[in-house]
Amino acid sequence: MVMNEQDLKQVINKSVLDKIHFEFIQALPLYCWVAGGSVIDSIIGKEINDVDIFFASKQDKFETVKHVLKNEGQIIKTWDKGVKINIKNFCYDFISYENVKTPKECVESFDFTVCGVAVDKSGEIFYCDYFLNDYNKRLLRYTGNHITLPRNKSIRALKYINKGFSFNEETQKAWIESFTNNIT
């Protein structure tokens, strides 16, 4: 089935919100959104391992983490952009990027267009250019964004290939060039 914007809204409202633990997201004290892998995995019917929750600022992220830890949860891991917390045997990544302040900026910053979908805590849906086209064609289009280590690029690409997405020739060439540009 080819998905259009209306279909996307229906799919997210009916099945995705439960899978991404949306009630928990809505209960968080500050504005945030869920984006990327957990949303697309829920759409295509894959099991999700964690939910990435994004915040408009580092301060908002840390205030929310403090709130969550005060009430429940245990820190599993920290890194420069985020904190992974286990809450009731499910993991959430609380993330902020310096240059990403909105869900729209977030979905535009991802490395592959099929990751470029988000739902904010009010239920509004955001997606990047080409998301619907590439989802429908199962195309793995590399955007050149979301700077990661070359080994992580390979892992991320392989994840989506294993989910039924594939490169076209143009995208494969751009993706390979991104490795070459990172070699010094």
Side-chain angles (χ1 to χ4, degrees):
M1 176 182 108
V2 173
M3 187 176 347
N4 61 34
E5 184 174 9
Q6 188 62 31
D7 297 331
L8 178 63
K9 289 178 181 179
Q10 288 178 348
V11 166
I12 287 178
N13 284 326
K14 288 183 181 172
S15 63
V16 171
L17 296 181
D18 283 341
K19 292 177 186 173
I20 62 173
H21 304 261
F22 198 63
E23 308 80 33
F24 174 78
I25 309 307
Q26 289 179 305
L28 294 173
L30 297 170
Y31 182 71
C32 59
W33 59 93
V34 176
S38 62
V39 179
I40 191 66
D41 284 354
S42 295
I43 291 170
I44 64 176
K46 296 284 185 183
E47 191 171 324
I48 60 172
N49 299 322
D50 64 12
V51 172
D52 294 344
I53 306 169
F54 292 85
F55 296 87
S57 71
K58 188 185 253 185
Q59 184 66 32
D60 287 357
K61 174 184 66 184
F62 283 122
E63 290 297 321
T64 304
V65 166
K66 283 189 329 189
H67 170 80
V68 168
L69 291 175
K70 186 170 35 172
N71 296 308
E72 58 191 330
Q74 174 184 2
I75 293 179
I76 303 291
K77 170 179 143 180
T78 62
W79 68 99
D80 59 335
K81 306 289 186 234
V83 178
K84 181 181 284 295
I85 299 177
N86 183 318
I87 302 167
K88 298 179 182 174
N89 295 319
F90 191 80
C91 289
Y92 299 88
D93 292 340
F94 294 74
I95 303 168
S96 62
Y97 290 109
E98 190 172 315
N99 296 323
V100 174
K101 307 294 180 207
T102 68
K104 185 64 174 168
E105 290 174 353
C106 185
V107 299
E108 296 291 341
S109 74
F110 286 135
D111 52 354
F112 297 113
T113 54
V114 296
C115 305
V117 60
V119 182
D120 75 2
K121 71 182 282 175
S122 69
E124 188 172 350
I125 300 167
F126 301 84
Y127 55 92
C128 68
D129 294 340
Y130 297 107
F131 171 78
L132 287 170
N133 177 70
D134 294 351
Y135 170 82
N136 288 324
K137 293 180 179 179
R138 295 299 195 257
L139 175 63
L140 193 57
R141 183 189 308 257
Y142 180 66
T143 65
N145 297 332
H146 196 64
I147 298 170
T148 60
L149 297 171
R151 73 175 181 272
N152 292 344
K153 284 183 181 183
S154 298
I155 291 167
R156 287 183 54 76
L158 195 54
K159 274 185 187 178
Y160 286 97
I161 289 168
N162 288 334
K163 293 174 186 177
F165 294 91
S166 59
F167 288 118
N168 67 11
E169 188 175 322
E170 175 188 338
T171 299
Q172 185 173 2
K173 182 179 177 186
W175 187 74
I176 290 170
E177 285 176 6
S178 75
F179 283 97
T180 307
N181 293 338
N182 287 324
I183 298 173
T184 53

